[in-house]
C-alpha cells in the first residue's frame, strides 16, 4: 500500500510540474509564426539598444548581416558581416562573427524576452553588454 501511495505522489508531482511548465505564459507572436525547427532572421531588421549605444542590424540572408551604429560615439559606423548561428530554442539564437578589424562579436538573442546579451572580444579582453531588441517594421515603398 505504501508503494502505491508513493507512486501516486510521484505521478502527481510530475503532472503538477508539467502543468506549471506548460502554463508559464502564452506564446509570443514570433513563437506562433516561427516553425518549430527553424528560427530565421533572414530579411528582418532589428534595433539593438544598449543604452548609450544603439545599432540597427539587418539580417540580409541566413549568413550575412549589415549593422549600423545610430547612437553613441561610433555613430555612422557600419559594415556587412558574415555570421554563424545556432538555434538554442524556438525563440533564441546564438550569433557570432568577426569584424574586419578583428573584433569578435558573440550574441544570445532572445525574441521572447526581447533581450540581447553580447560579448565583445578585443585581443584578450571580453566585454559583456546587455540590451534590448525589437524588430523594425519594413517601410512600404
Amino acid at each position: 500500500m505504501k508503494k502505491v501511495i508513493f507512486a501516486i505522489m510521484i505521478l502527481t508531482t510530475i503532472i503538477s510540474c508539467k502543468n506549471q511548465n506548460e502554463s508559464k505564459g502564452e506564446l509570443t507572436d514570433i513563437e506562433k509564426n516561427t516553425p518549430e525547427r527553424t528560427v530565421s532572421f533572414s530579411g528582418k531588421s532589428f534595433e539593438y539598444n544598449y543604452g548609450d549605444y544603439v545599432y540597427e542590424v539587418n539580417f540580409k540572408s541566413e549568413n550575412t548581416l549589415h549593422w549600423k551604429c545610430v547612437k553613441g560615439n561610433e555613430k555612422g559606423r557600419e559594415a556587412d558581416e558574415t555570421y554563424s548561428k545556432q538555434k538554442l530554442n524556438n525563440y533564441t539564437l546564438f550569433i557570432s562573427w568577426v569584424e574586419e578589424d578583428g573584433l569578435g562579436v558573440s550574441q544570445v538573442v532572445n525574441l521572447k524576452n526581447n533581450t540581447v546579451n553580447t560579448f565583445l572580444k578585443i585581443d584578450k579582453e571580453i566585454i559583456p553588454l546587455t540590451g534590448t531588441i525589437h524588430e523594425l517594421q519594413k517601410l512600404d515603398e
Side-chain angles (χ1 to χ4, degrees):
M1 183 69 168
K2 288 183 181 179
K3 289 182 181 178
V4 171
I5 292 172
F6 183 69
I8 292 172
M9 288 173 50
I10 289 176
L11 184 58
T12 303
T13 302
I14 291 170
I15 292 170
S16 174
C17 288
K18 183 177 185 240
N19 289 341
Q20 285 178 359
N21 287 338
E22 289 175 352
S23 65
K24 282 190 175 181
E26 294 183 20
L27 295 176
T28 65
D29 288 339
I30 291 170
E31 287 177 292
K32 289 175 188 173
N33 295 322
T34 301
E36 191 167 321
R37 298 178 148 247
T38 306
V39 175
S40 176
F41 286 2
S42 183
K44 296 180 181 179
S45 294
F46 296 90
E47 179 184 85
Y48 289 33
N49 188 331
Y50 298 104
D52 291 337
Y53 295 88
V54 177
Y55 294 85
E56 290 180 1
V57 181
N58 175 11
F59 290 86
K60 297 167 80 171
S61 70
E62 288 298 324
N63 62 2
T64 303
L65 64 81
H66 180 85
W67 62 265
K68 179 178 182 178
C69 183
V70 295
K71 177 185 173 190
N73 64 1
E74 293 188 323
K75 185 175 180 179
R77 188 169 172 234
E78 61 186 296
D80 287 332
E81 308 292 350
T82 300
Y83 71 96
S84 295
K85 68 182 179 310
Q86 183 176 24
K87 176 184 168 185
L88 301 179
N89 58 40
N90 286 343
Y91 49 84
T92 308
L93 280 180
F94 176 79
I95 302 169
S96 187
W97 69 87
V98 178
E99 296 182 2
E100 187 176 313
D101 62 3
L103 174 73
V105 180
S106 296
Q107 301 178 327
V108 176
V109 178
N110 183 313
L111 295 175
K112 183 174 184 179
N113 298 329
N114 297 317
T115 58
V116 57
N117 294 78
T118 300
F119 296 87
L120 303 176
K121 182 189 170 296
I122 303 170
D123 297 321
K124 293 191 179 242
E125 182 180 7
I126 294 179
I127 302 168
L129 302 170
T130 301
T132 59
I133 183 172
H134 76 272
E135 187 172 356
L136 298 172
Q137 300 301 317
K138 293 180 182 178
L139 299 176
D140 293 331
E141 297 181 358

